[in-house]
Amino acid sequence: MSQYSKRLLMCVKQAWPMGLKTSVWLIKLTLPVSFAVLLLDYFGLLVIMAKYTSPVFELIGLPGVAALVLVTSIFTNIYSVVAVLTTLALPTRDGTILAVMCLISHGFLIETAILKKTSSSAIRMLLLRLVSSFIVGALLNLTLPGSPSDGSYIYQSQHSDLSLAITAWLPQIGATLLKIVILVNALLIVQRILEEFGILKYLTKPLAPFMKLMGLPKESSFLWMIGNTIGLAYGSAVMLQKADEGQLQPKECDLLNHHLAISHSQLEDPLLFVSLGYSMPVLIIPRMLFAVAVVWLRRVENYFRSR
């Protein structure tokens, strides 16, 4: 066996235990949450919850049914949101605003647990994402061309029989859990290889000036890149490892979390909405800019607290 092969094998051996541990942790979160949401949808509780929150959405120029979309987003993922938006067939303008809001506020239970494990307050992250989604939604409502829609829409659960709902859910959740195991372990192995062969510094060095502009430490370059490409859930393995090894201090992790809470998974998730005819720049740029503003506000807050 060559020296390179031995080093590659060592990287796999080092990454595998952490990858397996993180995969199990994510599966323990994802499986019960997903099943709970299935039951909420089947028994019509999502619709009831949305009914009481709809007046808030009307304040920012969205129809009351928009509440259902965001509630679905908070408890599930972007795939579910796309399914609901397809069912509702909202106007493109309304759908685009809602899509951006959902890209900020989705998967609260799982992603908040990840942010908490990497040095941020869970309550703060929840409030930050929820409030930010409404602020960005309101700003888009003021700036996007066209006028708010006043149409009314009706949503019904797709399954009238619980056994059919579970039968449809099983392959979906199975594919999700398999994706978690494969991606989490593959990402950790790749990261170990990049570090072992000294490639990581060449990938992250060009990002250092952008990190400074965004108010983030240069050491967070790789994590920023991971979070903005594959997202929080699948990138959590690397984030947790960096935090455990002390490569990022708690305050630095918290700054990065404030950014990623608003702006993450800038490839796969927006592309799902593009399939509905929404604008890719509108789905990406507002979140990125608002995330930068949030980080700088957090830095100002930290400065005054330290004084």
Side-chain angles (χ1 to χ4, degrees), residues 22-67:
T22 306
S23 298
V24 171
W25 178 68
L26 283 172
I27 288 170
K28 285 181 178 179
L29 281 172
T30 304
L31 192 59
V33 168
S34 180
F35 187 70
V37 172
L38 167 74
L39 296 178
L40 287 173
D41 181 42
Y42 175 76
F43 290 108
L45 296 179
L46 288 180
V47 177
I48 294 172
M49 292 168 66
K51 179 181 177 182
Y52 289 99
T53 56
S54 61
V56 181
F57 290 83
E58 292 170 1
L59 290 175
I60 59 172
L62 292 174
V65 75

Side-chain angles (χ1 to χ4, degrees), residues 151-224:
S152 58
Y153 305 87
I154 298 174
Y155 172 78
Q156 293 180 341
S157 177
Q158 297 181 9
H159 300 285
S160 57
D161 185 87
L162 183 57
S163 61
L164 291 177
I166 294 174
T167 302
W169 170 76
L170 284 173
Q172 294 173 0
I173 190 63
T176 300
L177 299 183
L178 182 62
K179 189 177 178 182
I180 286 173
V181 174
I182 293 173
L183 282 181
V184 164
N185 283 281
L187 186 59
L188 267 180
I189 291 170
V190 168
Q191 187 238 343
R192 282 292 188 188
I193 291 172
L194 292 176
E195 288 181 342
E196 174 67 23
F197 291 93
I199 302 171
L200 187 58
K201 60 183 178 181
Y202 295 108
L203 292 177
T204 57
K205 191 174 180 179
L207 291 174
F210 295 101
M211 295 296 106
K212 187 175 181 180
L213 185 66
M214 292 187 290
L216 297 170
K218 63 180 181 180
E219 294 80 9
S220 66
S221 297
F222 184 66
L223 293 179
W224 180 88

Side-chain angles (χ1 to χ4, degrees), residues 35-285:
F35 187 70
V37 172
L38 167 74
L39 296 178
L40 287 173
D41 181 42
Y42 175 76
F43 290 108
L45 296 179
L46 288 180
V47 177
I48 294 172
M49 292 168 66
K51 179 181 177 182
Y52 289 99
T53 56
S54 61
V56 181
F57 290 83
E58 292 170 1
L59 290 175
I60 59 172
L62 292 174
V65 75
L68 174 64
V69 181
L70 193 67
V71 168
T72 301
S73 173
I74 285 170
F75 287 104
T76 61
N77 52 37
I78 297 301
Y79 293 93
S80 301
V81 174
V82 171
V84 175
L85 282 172
T86 303
T87 303
L88 295 176
L90 289 166
T92 301
R93 186 181 188 277
D94 293 357
T96 301
I97 295 173
L98 263 175
V100 176
M101 293 177 69
C102 291
L103 286 168
I104 296 172
S105 291
H106 64 267
F108 268 19
L109 298 178
I110 296 169
E111 294 187 353
T112 301
I114 294 166
L115 294 169
K116 183 182 178 182
K117 265 207 163 189
T118 50
S119 308
S120 293
S121 162
I123 294 176
R124 186 186 182 96
M125 291 294 102
L126 285 171
L127 290 174
L128 172 67
R129 296 180 72 184
L130 193 58
V131 172
S132 297
S133 63
F134 277 96
I135 293 174
V136 173
L139 291 173
L140 287 174
N141 184 53
L142 291 172
T143 55
L144 286 181
S147 55
S149 168
D150 57 356
S152 58
Y153 305 87
I154 298 174
Y155 172 78
Q156 293 180 341
S157 177
Q158 297 181 9
H159 300 285
S160 57
D161 185 87
L162 183 57
S163 61
L164 291 177
I166 294 174
T167 302
W169 170 76
L170 284 173
Q172 294 173 0
I173 190 63
T176 300
L177 299 183
L178 182 62
K179 189 177 178 182
I180 286 173
V181 174
I182 293 173
L183 282 181
V184 164
N185 283 281
L187 186 59
L188 267 180
I189 291 170
V190 168
Q191 187 238 343
R192 282 292 188 188
I193 291 172
L194 292 176
E195 288 181 342
E196 174 67 23
F197 291 93
I199 302 171
L200 187 58
K201 60 183 178 181
Y202 295 108
L203 292 177
T204 57
K205 191 174 180 179
L207 291 174
F210 295 101
M211 295 296 106
K212 187 175 181 180
L213 185 66
M214 292 187 290
L216 297 170
K218 63 180 181 180
E219 294 80 9
S220 66
S221 297
F222 184 66
L223 293 179
W224 180 88
M225 186 168 61
I226 292 297
N228 276 277
T229 50
I230 67 171
L232 282 173
Y234 301 123
S236 61
V238 178
M239 295 177 68
L240 293 171
Q241 182 198 36
K242 292 285 186 184
D244 290 343
E245 293 177 353
Q247 296 185 35
L248 274 179
Q249 296 303 311
K251 281 190 175 182
E252 295 174 333
C253 283
D254 183 60
L255 284 174
L256 178 63
N257 285 345
H258 275 72
H259 181 101
L260 293 179
I262 310 298
S263 171
H264 62 272
S265 192
Q266 293 280 26
L267 293 177
E268 180 184 4
D269 290 352
L271 283 173
L272 293 173
F273 288 118
V274 169
S275 66
L276 299 179
Y278 303 159
S279 167
M280 189 75 163
V282 177
L283 295 170
I284 292 177
I285 296 173

